[in-house]
Every structure is written in C-alpha cells, then in structure tokens.
Coordinates of all heavy atoms in Angstrom, one line a residue:
L1 N -3.5 -0.3 0.4 CA -3.3 -1.1 1.6 C -2.5 -0.3 2.6 O -1.5 0.2 2.2 CB -2.5 -2.4 1.3 CG -3.2 -3.4 0.3 CD1 -2.2 -4.4 -0.2 CD2 -4.4 -4.1 1.0
V2 N -3.1 -0.1 3.8 CA -2.4 0.7 4.8 C -2.2 -0.2 6.0 O -2.9 -0.4 6.9 CB -3.3 1.9 5.2 CG1 -2.6 2.7 6.3 CG2 -3.7 2.7 4.0
P3 N -0.9 -0.7 6.0 CA -0.5 -1.6 7.1 C -0.4 -0.9 8.5 O -0.1 0.2 8.5 CB 0.8 -2.2 6.8 CG 1.3 -1.4 5.6 CD 0.2 -0.5 5.1
I4 N -0.8 -1.6 9.5 CA -0.8 -1.2 10.9 C 0.4 -2.0 11.6 O 0.4 -3.1 11.5 CB -2.1 -1.3 11.7 CG1 -3.1 -0.6 10.9 CG2 -1.9 -0.9 13.1 CD1 -4.6 -0.9 11.4
A5 N 1.2 -1.3 12.2 CA 2.4 -1.9 13.0 C 1.8 -2.7 14.1 O 1.1 -2.2 14.9 CB 3.4 -0.9 13.5
R6 N 2.1 -4.0 14.2 CA 1.7 -4.8 15.3 C 2.8 -5.7 15.7 O 3.7 -6.0 14.9 CB 0.5 -5.6 14.8 CG -0.7 -4.9 14.4 CD -2.0 -5.7 14.4 NE -3.1 -4.8 14.3 CZ -4.3 -5.2 13.9 NH1 -4.5 -6.5 13.5 NH2 -5.3 -4.4 13.7
T7 N 2.7 -6.3 16.9 CA 3.8 -7.1 17.4 C 3.8 -8.5 16.7 O 4.8 -9.0 16.4 CB 3.6 -7.3 18.9 OG1 3.6 -6.0 19.5 CG2 4.7 -8.1 19.5
Y8 N 2.6 -9.1 16.5 CA 2.6 -10.5 16.1 C 2.1 -10.6 14.7 O 1.9 -11.7 14.3 CB 1.6 -11.3 17.0 CG 2.1 -11.3 18.5 CD1 1.4 -10.5 19.4 CD2 3.2 -12.0 18.9 CE1 1.8 -10.5 20.7 CE2 3.7 -11.9 20.1 CZ 3.0 -11.2 21.2 OH 3.3 -11.2 22.4
D9 N 1.9 -9.5 14.0 CA 1.4 -9.7 12.6 C 2.0 -8.7 11.7 O 1.9 -7.5 11.9 CB -0.2 -9.3 12.7 CG -0.8 -9.4 11.3 OD1 -0.3 -10.1 10.4 OD2 -1.9 -8.8 11.2
N10 N 2.8 -9.1 10.7 CA 3.5 -8.3 9.9 C 2.7 -7.8 8.7 O 2.8 -8.3 7.6 CB 4.9 -9.0 9.4 CG 5.8 -8.0 8.8 OD1 5.4 -6.9 8.4 ND2 7.1 -8.4 8.7
Q11 N 1.9 -6.8 9.0 CA 1.0 -6.3 7.9 C 1.7 -5.6 6.8 O 1.3 -5.7 5.6 CB 0.0 -5.4 8.5 CG -1.1 -6.1 9.3 CD -2.2 -5.1 9.7 OE1 -2.2 -3.9 9.3 NE2 -3.2 -5.6 10.5
E12 N 2.9 -5.0 7.1 CA 3.7 -4.3 6.1 C 4.1 -5.3 5.1 O 4.1 -5.1 3.9 CB 4.8 -3.5 6.7 CG 5.6 -2.8 5.7 CD 6.6 -2.0 6.2 OE1 6.7 -1.7 7.4 OE2 7.5 -1.4 5.4
K13 N 4.7 -6.4 5.5 CA 5.2 -7.5 4.6 C 4.1 -8.0 3.7 O 4.3 -8.2 2.6 CB 5.9 -8.6 5.5 CG 6.4 -9.7 4.6 CD 7.1 -10.8 5.5 CE 7.6 -11.9 4.6 NZ 8.2 -13.1 5.5
R14 N 3.0 -8.3 4.4 CA 1.8 -8.8 3.6 C 1.3 -7.8 2.6 O 0.9 -8.2 1.5 CB 0.7 -9.2 4.6 CG -0.5 -9.9 3.8 CD -1.6 -10.3 4.7 NE -1.2 -11.1 5.8 CZ -1.3 -10.8 7.1 NH1 -1.9 -9.6 7.4 NH2 -0.9 -11.5 8.1
G15 N 1.3 -6.5 3.0 CA 0.9 -5.5 2.1 C 1.7 -5.4 0.9 O 1.2 -5.2 -0.2
R16 N 3.0 -5.5 1.1 CA 3.9 -5.4 0.0 C 3.8 -6.6 -0.9 O 4.1 -6.5 -2.1 CB 5.3 -5.2 0.5 CG 5.6 -3.8 1.1 CD 7.0 -3.6 1.5 NE 7.0 -2.3 2.3 CZ 8.0 -1.5 2.2 NH1 9.1 -1.8 1.5 NH2 8.0 -0.3 2.9
L17 N 3.5 -7.8 -0.3 CA 3.3 -9.0 -1.2 C 2.1 -8.9 -2.0 O 2.0 -9.3 -3.2 CB 3.3 -10.2 -0.3 CG 4.5 -10.7 0.4 CD1 4.2 -11.8 1.4 CD2 5.5 -11.2 -0.6
W18 N 1.0 -8.2 -1.6 CA -0.2 -8.1 -2.2 C -0.4 -6.9 -3.1 O -1.3 -6.9 -4.0 CB -1.4 -8.2 -1.2 CG -1.7 -9.6 -0.8 CD1 -1.2 -10.2 0.3 CD2 -2.6 -10.5 -1.3 NE1 -1.7 -11.5 0.4 CE2 -2.5 -11.6 -0.6 CE3 -3.4 -10.4 -2.5 CZ2 -3.4 -12.8 -0.9 CZ3 -4.2 -11.5 -2.8 CH2 -4.1 -12.7 -2.0
E19 N 0.5 -6.0 -3.0 CA 0.2 -4.7 -3.7 C 0.3 -4.8 -5.2 O -0.5 -4.1 -5.9 CB 1.2 -3.6 -3.2 CG 2.6 -3.6 -3.8 CD 3.4 -2.3 -3.4 OE1 2.9 -1.3 -3.0 OE2 4.6 -2.5 -3.4
E20 N 1.1 -5.7 -5.8 CA 1.1 -5.8 -7.2 C -0.3 -6.4 -7.7 O -0.6 -6.0 -8.9 CB 2.3 -6.8 -7.7 CG 3.6 -6.1 -7.6 CD 4.7 -7.0 -8.2 OE1 4.3 -7.8 -9.1 OE2 5.9 -6.9 -7.8
R21 N -0.9 -7.2 -6.9 CA -2.2 -7.8 -7.4 C -3.4 -6.9 -7.0 O -4.4 -7.0 -7.7 CB -2.3 -9.1 -6.8 CG -1.2 -10.1 -7.3 CD -1.4 -11.4 -6.7 NE -0.4 -11.4 -5.6 CZ -0.2 -12.4 -4.7 NH1 -0.8 -13.5 -4.9 NH2 0.7 -12.2 -3.7
L22 N -3.2 -6.1 -6.0 CA -4.4 -5.4 -5.5 C -4.4 -3.9 -5.7 O -5.4 -3.2 -5.8 CB -4.7 -5.6 -4.0 CG -4.9 -7.1 -3.6 CD1 -5.2 -7.1 -2.1 CD2 -6.0 -7.7 -4.4
G23 N -3.2 -3.3 -5.8 CA -3.1 -1.8 -5.9 C -1.8 -1.3 -5.4 O -0.8 -1.4 -6.1
L24 N -1.7 -0.8 -4.2 CA -0.6 -0.2 -3.7 C -0.5 -0.3 -2.2 O -1.6 -0.2 -1.5 CB -0.5 1.3 -4.0 CG 0.8 2.0 -3.7 CD1 1.9 1.7 -4.7 CD2 0.5 3.5 -3.6
C25 N 0.6 -0.6 -1.7 CA 0.9 -0.6 -0.2 C 1.4 0.7 0.2 O 2.5 1.1 -0.2 CB 1.8 -1.7 0.2 SG 2.1 -1.9 2.0
H26 N 0.7 1.4 1.1 CA 1.2 2.7 1.5 C 2.5 2.6 2.4 O 2.7 1.7 3.2 CB 0.1 3.4 2.5 CG 0.5 4.6 3.1 ND1 0.7 5.8 2.4 CD2 0.8 4.9 4.4 CE1 1.1 6.8 3.2 NE2 1.1 6.3 4.4
R27 N 3.4 3.5 2.1 CA 4.7 3.6 2.9 C 4.7 4.9 3.6 O 4.7 5.9 2.9 CB 5.8 3.3 2.0 CG 5.8 1.9 1.4 CD 6.9 1.8 0.4 NE 6.8 0.4 -0.1 CZ 7.2 0.0 -1.3 NH1 7.8 0.9 -2.1 NH2 7.0 -1.2 -1.8
P28 N 4.7 5.0 4.9 CA 4.6 6.3 5.6 C 5.7 7.2 5.2 O 5.5 8.5 5.3 CB 4.7 5.9 7.1 CG 4.2 4.5 7.2 CD 4.5 3.8 5.8
E29 N 6.8 6.6 4.9 CA 8.0 7.5 4.5 C 7.9 8.1 3.1 O 8.7 8.9 2.7 CB 9.3 6.7 4.7 CG 9.5 5.6 3.7 CD 8.9 4.2 4.0 OE1 8.0 4.2 5.0 OE2 9.1 3.3 3.3
E30 N 6.9 7.6 2.3 CA 6.7 8.1 1.0 C 5.2 8.4 0.8 O 4.5 7.9 -0.1 CB 7.1 7.0 0.0 CG 8.5 6.6 0.1 CD 8.8 5.5 -1.0 OE1 8.7 5.8 -2.2 OE2 9.0 4.4 -0.6
P31 N 4.7 9.4 1.5 CA 3.3 9.7 1.4 C 2.9 10.2 0.0 O 1.8 9.9 -0.6 CB 3.0 10.8 2.4 CG 4.4 11.4 2.7 CD 5.3 10.3 2.5
E32 N 3.8 10.9 -0.8 CA 3.5 11.5 -2.1 C 3.3 10.3 -3.1 O 2.5 10.4 -4.0 CB 4.6 12.4 -2.5 CG 6.0 11.8 -2.8 CD 6.7 11.5 -1.5 OE1 6.5 11.9 -0.4 OE2 7.7 10.7 -1.6
R33 N 3.9 9.1 -2.8 CA 3.7 8.0 -3.7 C 2.3 7.5 -3.6 O 1.6 7.3 -4.7 CB 4.6 6.9 -3.2 CG 4.5 5.6 -3.9 CD 5.6 4.6 -3.4 NE 5.5 3.3 -4.0 CZ 4.8 2.3 -3.4 NH1 4.3 2.4 -2.2 NH2 4.7 1.1 -4.0
S34 N 1.7 7.4 -2.4 CA 0.3 7.1 -2.2 C -0.6 8.1 -2.9 O -1.7 7.8 -3.5 CB -0.1 6.9 -0.8 OG 0.7 5.8 -0.2
V35 N -0.3 9.4 -2.7 CA -1.2 10.5 -3.3 C -1.2 10.4 -4.8 O -2.3 10.5 -5.4 CB -0.8 11.9 -2.8 CG1 -1.5 13.0 -3.5 CG2 -0.9 12.0 -1.3
R36 N 0.0 10.2 -5.4 CA 0.1 10.0 -6.8 C -0.8 8.8 -7.3 O -1.5 8.9 -8.3 CB 1.4 9.9 -7.3 CG 2.3 11.2 -7.3 CD 3.6 11.1 -8.0 NE 4.4 9.9 -7.7 CZ 5.2 9.9 -6.6 NH1 5.5 11.0 -6.0 NH2 5.9 8.8 -6.3
W37 N -0.6 7.8 -6.6 CA -1.4 6.5 -7.0 C -2.9 6.7 -6.9 O -3.7 6.4 -7.8 CB -0.9 5.3 -6.2 CG -1.7 4.1 -6.6 CD1 -1.3 3.2 -7.6 CD2 -2.9 3.6 -5.9 NE1 -2.2 2.2 -7.6 CE2 -3.2 2.4 -6.6 CE3 -3.6 3.9 -4.9 CZ2 -4.3 1.6 -6.2 CZ3 -4.8 3.2 -4.5 CH2 -5.1 2.0 -5.2
M38 N -3.3 7.3 -5.8 CA -4.8 7.6 -5.7 C -5.3 8.5 -6.7 O -6.3 8.3 -7.3 CB -5.0 8.1 -4.3 CG -4.9 7.1 -3.1 SD -5.5 7.7 -1.5 CE -4.3 9.1 -1.2
S39 N -4.6 9.6 -7.0 CA -5.0 10.6 -8.0 C -5.1 9.9 -9.3 O -6.1 10.1 -10.1 CB -4.0 11.7 -8.0 OG -4.0 12.4 -6.8
A40 N -4.2 9.2 -9.8 CA -4.2 8.5 -11.1 C -5.3 7.5 -11.2 O -6.0 7.4 -12.1 CB -2.8 7.8 -11.3
T41 N -5.5 6.7 -10.0 CA -6.5 5.8 -10.0 C -7.9 6.3 -10.2 O -8.7 5.8 -10.9 CB -6.4 4.8 -8.7 OG1 -5.1 4.3 -8.7 CG2 -7.5 3.8 -8.7
L42 N -8.1 7.4 -9.5 CA -9.4 8.0 -9.5 C -9.6 8.7 -10.9 O -10.7 8.7 -11.5 CB -9.6 9.1 -8.4 CG -9.7 8.5 -7.0 CD1 -9.5 9.5 -5.9 CD2 -11.0 7.7 -6.9
A43 N -8.6 9.4 -11.3 CA -8.7 10.2 -12.6 C -8.9 9.3 -13.8 O -9.7 9.6 -14.7 CB -7.4 11.0 -12.9
E44 N -8.3 8.1 -13.7 CA -8.5 7.1 -14.9 C -9.6 6.1 -14.7 O -9.7 5.3 -15.6 CB -7.1 6.5 -15.1 CG -6.0 7.4 -15.4 CD -4.6 6.8 -15.4 OE1 -4.5 5.6 -15.3 OE2 -3.6 7.5 -15.4
R45 N -10.2 6.2 -13.5 CA -11.3 5.3 -13.2 C -10.8 3.8 -13.3 O -11.5 3.0 -13.9 CB -12.5 5.5 -14.0 CG -13.2 6.9 -13.7 CD -14.3 7.1 -14.6 NE -15.0 8.3 -14.1 CZ -16.2 8.3 -13.5 NH1 -16.9 7.2 -13.4 NH2 -16.8 9.4 -13.1
Q46 N -9.7 3.5 -12.8 CA -9.0 2.3 -13.0 C -9.8 1.2 -12.3 O -10.3 1.4 -11.2 CB -7.6 2.3 -12.5 CG -6.6 3.1 -13.3 CD -5.3 3.1 -12.8 OE1 -4.9 2.4 -11.8 NE2 -4.4 4.0 -13.3

C-alpha cells in the first residue's frame, strides 16, 4: 500500500490499519523496509 498525502483523506492512517491484513504500508522514511518486503514476497511466492 502506497498512501498519497491528501488534505481530506488520511490514506497513511488507512494503509497502516490495513497492512497487517493485506501486506505492507510503504513508509517514505523507510524505503529499505518496502524493498525487503517486496523481495521476500516475490522470492517466497507468498
């Protein structure tokens, strides 16, 4: 999940709420976290 900053819609909050059930919510300040998750997901065909 890659939230987009918007004035009237808190996509980041929603992404963090859904990430445990759907996958991962990207955090711009932690790009390596997303890369590790994508690599593991693809390698393990999760």
